[in-house]
Amino acid sequence: MAALPESGTLAVFVLCATFAIVLVNLASLAVAAVRIGRRGRPSILPPGVPVSVVRPLRGIEAFSEETLRASFRLDYPAYELIFCVADAADPILPMLERMRADHPRIPSRLILGDERIGGNPKLNNCVRGWEAARHDWVILADSNVMMPADYIQQMQGAWRSDTGLVCSTPIGDRPDGFFALVECAFLNTLQARWQYAGEALGLGFAQGKSMLWHKPFLEARGGIRALNAEIAEDAAATKLVRAAGCRVHLVAAPFRQPLGRRSLGEVWSRQVRWARLRRVTFPLFFAPEIVIGALLPLTLAAVVVGGTEASALLAGAGAVWYGAEYGLAVRTGWPRSPRLLLAFLVRDALLPAIWASAWARTAIVWRGNPMDIRTRTPAPLETGPSAA
């Protein structure tokens, strides 16, 4: 190792490459800080245009009472709610029926039973709800999204003349315990900021948590069944919208997902599942994810280059990087505490293993359905307990 700095070539190359990685990540943080929360031009959609909100449900989650109730409290003049539940014995049904009875003035329907069009259980659960939607504007929203009162207006506000789809990346909120904070480190200052940086470059990617569709647009391209072209409906949506010459746009401020308590195993399981799906659906974009965390590139550079001064310089670069991430959390009002800095380190220590696992294996467990994702429309291998 000591000979490398003397020759200079490898040391200079490694340092230049490392600082290029640092600058790219700092640029993405700056773009996200500017972009998130900024209100753009008024929506081009007519005010108060009727909207159908389709929510697939399965099981009772930690915050089901709050997230479901928020559906009935949207400050919008013309919307209907369509709840899709695959199993007539699902324990969420009594809670849902109580809420529907408590809000008789909000048009709502319950659709029991799914339609198995492929290996994606959520998409199977949404098909009948999509087809039952009465309005031309349809939002597909996951059960654990916390909808603010102006949820629909925020979705509409991102619609432009070139839009094919508006969506929101999930923001981890209300973490209980350290590993829930690690999940926030993954979802918020890492994944969400890259989503917004990509959109700024014209590379918007869909997220299945909240999707606003113009129903005639999707129906003209195969309808909701066209989203079965990929194992993940958001990947299929991204490719469909781009093929139509349109763009995926993000809401000005992403919606929150309350986390509650998380274990290390739960964080690992979710992140590996999502990483494997990204690797299968967008391998060229997934490959560089090995260097989106600070710990690996900076540590490797310090080992290869050696020397006290170079190590101190790299440590300083890491401090700036993590400081900028923390600053983004402060700027956006996302969960933060002094422990978030430690959560960044734990997250970045996990990233290389998650990345390697995504390349090494193709099995995932999605909502209790173990499946192999090597094919575009795999059938579930078996049904097990919920692993959402």
Side-chain angles (χ1 to χ4, degrees):
M1 290 296 177
L4 294 176
E6 294 177 6
S7 64
T9 304
L10 180 59
V12 170
F13 174 79
V14 169
L15 282 175
C16 289
T18 302
F19 282 105
I21 291 170
V22 172
L23 289 174
V24 168
N25 276 274
L26 290 177
S28 71
L29 286 161
V31 169
V34 171
R35 171 69 177 82
I36 295 173
R38 184 182 67 184
R39 301 289 178 174
R41 295 164 293 174
S43 172
I44 66 171
L45 302 187
V49 62
V51 174
S52 298
V53 179
V54 178
R55 299 199 83 169
L57 307 177
R58 178 178 174 178
I60 297 178
E61 300 166 301
F63 296 91
S64 289
E65 180 85 25
E66 291 181 63
T67 56
L68 270 181
R69 194 170 297 283
S71 307
F72 293 92
R73 295 178 173 175
L74 302 181
D75 184 14
Y76 195 78
Y79 76 98
E80 65 169 350
L81 294 169
I82 302 174
F83 298 100
C84 303
V85 180
D87 185 357
D90 196 298
I92 196 66
L93 287 172
M95 181 187 295
L96 174 61
E97 288 303 291
R98 173 168 49 85
M99 289 189 190
R100 293 180 66 208
D102 289 344
H103 299 86
R105 295 186 178 182
I106 303 297
S108 66
R109 282 179 285 167
L110 167 64
I111 295 180
L112 283 174
D114 60 4
E115 184 171 341
R116 296 186 176 273
I117 63 172
N120 182 333
K122 184 177 82 173
L123 191 60
N124 292 340
N125 199 15
C126 285
V127 171
R128 295 178 62 197
W130 170 273
E131 294 175 344
R134 296 188 178 104
H135 306 309
D136 282 348
W137 295 93
V138 181
I139 294 175
L140 302 178
D142 279 7
S143 59
N144 53 13
V145 173
M146 185 63 73
M147 297 178 172
D150 62 347
Y151 175 79
I152 294 176
Q153 291 93 327
Q154 288 195 49
M155 295 288 283
Q156 293 174 330
W159 198 276
R160 300 288 177 259
S161 58
D162 63 349
T163 303
L165 172 65
V166 166
C167 63
S168 171
T169 183
I171 293 300
D173 193 33
R174 294 160 66 180
D176 180 6
F178 177 71
F179 289 111
L181 201 59
V182 172
E183 183 119 284
C184 288
F186 273 107
L187 291 174
N188 302 357
T189 57
L190 184 71
Q191 294 168 359
R193 57 109 161 175
W194 276 110
Q195 282 280 94
Y196 280 89
E199 187 207 20
L201 296 173
L203 294 172
F205 286 83
Q207 282 270 335
K209 284 292 178 183
S210 290
M211 291 182 167
L212 171 63
W213 289 100
H214 188 216
K215 194 173 184 180
F217 170 86
L218 187 54
E219 288 295 336
R221 290 160 179 84
I224 194 170
R225 287 173 170 77
L227 303 186
N228 192 48
E230 302 281 349
I231 181 56
E233 78 282 355
D234 40 19
T238 301
K239 295 179 180 181
L240 182 148
V241 169
R242 291 180 182 176
C246 298
R247 291 190 176 188
V248 175
H249 286 144
L250 302 176
V251 294
F255 305 120
R256 302 191 178 218
Q257 173 188 330
L259 298 180
R261 197 149 193 91
R262 290 285 190 270
S263 68
L264 175 59
E266 289 171 325
V267 174
W268 169 266
S269 176
R270 284 184 179 85
Q271 294 301 323
V272 166
R273 180 174 77 240
W274 295 335
R276 289 175 184 169
L277 290 169
R278 292 195 303 274
R279 193 267 298 172
V280 167
T281 53
F282 294 102
L284 292 179
F285 287 99
F286 176 74
E289 287 191 18
I290 189 67
V291 293
I292 61 173
L295 194 59
L296 179 65
L298 293 177
T299 301
L300 288 178
V303 170
V304 171
V305 175
T308 304
E309 291 183 1
S311 296
L313 186 62
L314 291 164
V320 172
W321 184 329
Y322 285 136
E325 270 205 66
Y326 194 90
L328 177 62
V330 172
R331 159 75 175 77
T332 53
W334 296 339
R336 70 270 186 195
S337 75
R339 293 194 305 165
L340 183 60
L341 294 170
L342 179 58
F344 291 158
L345 288 170
V346 172
R347 176 203 68 196
D348 287 358
L350 293 173
L351 274 173
I354 291 170
W355 186 86
S357 178
W359 289 104
R361 299 188 60 188
T362 57
I364 64 170
V365 179
W366 197 350
R367 281 284 185 173
N369 297 281
M371 58 183 69
D372 191 304
I373 57 175
R374 282 175 293 187
T375 57
R376 289 189 166 211
T377 56
L381 302 179
E382 60 180 281
T383 299
S386 175

